[in-house]
Amino acid sequence: MGDVAGDRWDAWIGRTERRVDRADAGLAARWLATLDRAAPPDGTMPQGFHWCLCTPDAPTSALGADGHPLRDDSQDSFLPPVPLPRRMWASSKVEFLAPLVLGAAVERRSSVAAITEKRGASGALVFVDVAHETLCYGELAVREVQSVVYRDAAAAGLPLVPPPLGEGTFHPGSWTAHRALTPDEPLLFRYSALTFNSHRIHYDLTYAVEVEGYRGLVVHGPLTATLLLDLAQAELGDNALKSFAFRGLSPAICGEALHLVMREDGGAVELAAFAADGRQVMAASAKT
């Protein structure tokens, strides 16, 4: 069904980008406030905070119709100009090597690792894998491979996604930890602000529905992943995970209940997020 993209994108394989930032107290306080939680007492920041550092800073005039930075054929374009209009964060594999320290100088080194073309039920897909290394005071703290997927435009006349909530009910069953919450507009706004993410599917309801074909505003994939990390923190303690991987399975919709669950077996941790009717939104795994 899929094959590696041909020489069309060869010039982008290995392309690099470097960004610097600081884990300053103001950003940390806003991140903690967004999640309704307190800071660890040892001066470190919880896992998941790295997604709010070294964020894209393209000028507003350089944004595309979807709110993402424009991409072109120039040497300055880190990501390739894939001619597919819809973009989503599909998955990540993260290694936590050391905690991020409050006030630390932070550097992120990124490179395009792979570009793969596929065809799915919804049409053409292009996956771009980006490898990130986040350094804290010059020492490697987080290593991640992030997969971004580009998709065809939403076809006219098709049902909105995800499908309307069914009659089923999510039951925690064998999961040992469970938290239910309803992501609302203020939460999505705050997370977009923290990550400097202007993708319109997270705040522009008309665009999300009429252009991209979603049933409502979409909860950010890394926000759902951050909420799962927060559940792991509540059960296992601060900065307890050595690795964490997640994959988005279905969009979570703003204003609808989201069930976060976890279970552990000998250091292997399984996590997941579900909609109220049992539709799985995200699958994740971790190691302590």
Side-chain angles (χ1 to χ4, degrees):
M1 168 170 141
D3 61 306
V4 176
D7 57 9
R8 187 162 34 153
W9 311 120
D10 278 357
W12 274 265
I13 303 297
R15 190 165 292 197
T16 62
E17 181 181 68
R18 175 181 175 271
R19 294 185 178 275
V20 295
D21 206 338
R22 185 170 295 277
D24 66 73
L27 175 63
R30 292 187 290 273
W31 189 87
L32 293 164
T34 297
L35 297 177
D36 291 311
R37 60 159 300 170
D42 61 357
T44 63
M45 282 301 296
Q47 292 170 335
F49 181 63
H50 72 286
W51 287 319
C52 300
L53 296 168
C54 303
T55 56
D57 54 5
T60 302
S61 60
L63 299 179
D66 63 354
H68 277 301
L70 289 167
R71 295 165 285 113
D72 56 32
D73 288 317
S74 73
Q75 288 294 321
D76 295 329
S77 182
F78 175 62
L79 293 174
V82 175
L84 299 174
R86 292 191 293 168
R87 168 179 168 172
M88 290 290 286
W89 188 329
S91 64
S92 272
K93 295 180 180 179
V94 187
E95 295 176 77
F96 297 111
L97 306 175
L100 292 170
V101 179
L102 187 61
V106 176
E107 176 185 356
R108 178 164 298 153
R109 301 169 182 168
S110 305
S111 63
V112 178
I115 303 175
T116 308
E117 291 183 305
K118 295 185 179 182
R119 180 160 291 275
S122 61
L125 304 169
V126 174
F127 291 85
V128 180
D129 293 342
V130 182
H132 300 287
E133 291 186 337
T134 301
L135 290 79
C136 178
Y137 285 134
E139 298 293 330
L140 188 58
V142 183
R143 183 185 289 121
E144 176 178 9
V145 176
Q146 177 190 128
S147 183
V148 175
V149 60
Y150 296 92
R151 299 182 296 154
D152 275 326
L158 290 181
L160 299 175
V161 293
L165 291 173
E167 297 181 357
T169 302
F170 174 74
H171 297 287
S174 62
W175 299 95
T176 56
H178 172 226
R179 178 191 177 194
L181 76 157
T182 300
D184 57 13
E185 289 87 350
L187 177 62
L188 269 62
F189 170 84
R190 284 184 156 198
Y191 196 77
S192 287
L194 286 167
T195 55
F196 207 53
N197 180 356
S198 49
H199 195 182
R200 290 169 64 183
I201 63 172
H202 305 306
Y203 64 86
D204 185 338
L205 180 60
T206 301
Y207 174 88
V209 174
E210 296 184 2
V211 178
E212 299 232 9
Y214 293 108
R215 192 164 47 76
L217 294 178
V218 179
V219 180
H220 315 63
L223 172 55
T224 301
T226 296
L227 293 170
L228 289 175
L229 285 170
D230 198 49
L231 178 65
Q233 176 275 331
E235 297 295 315
L236 304 173
D238 293 312
N239 292 297
L241 300 182
K242 294 180 180 178
S243 66
F244 175 73
F246 73 85
R247 181 166 57 95
L249 301 176
S250 180
I253 297 299
C254 178
E256 297 181 359
L258 188 63
H259 293 270
L260 310 168
V261 290
M262 187 189 97
R263 55 191 169 207
E264 183 186 14
D265 182 10
V269 182
E270 183 181 0
L271 305 105
F274 293 87
D277 61 357
R279 170 177 53 87
Q280 189 165 2
V281 168
M282 181 170 286
S285 61
K287 293 183 179 180
T288 58

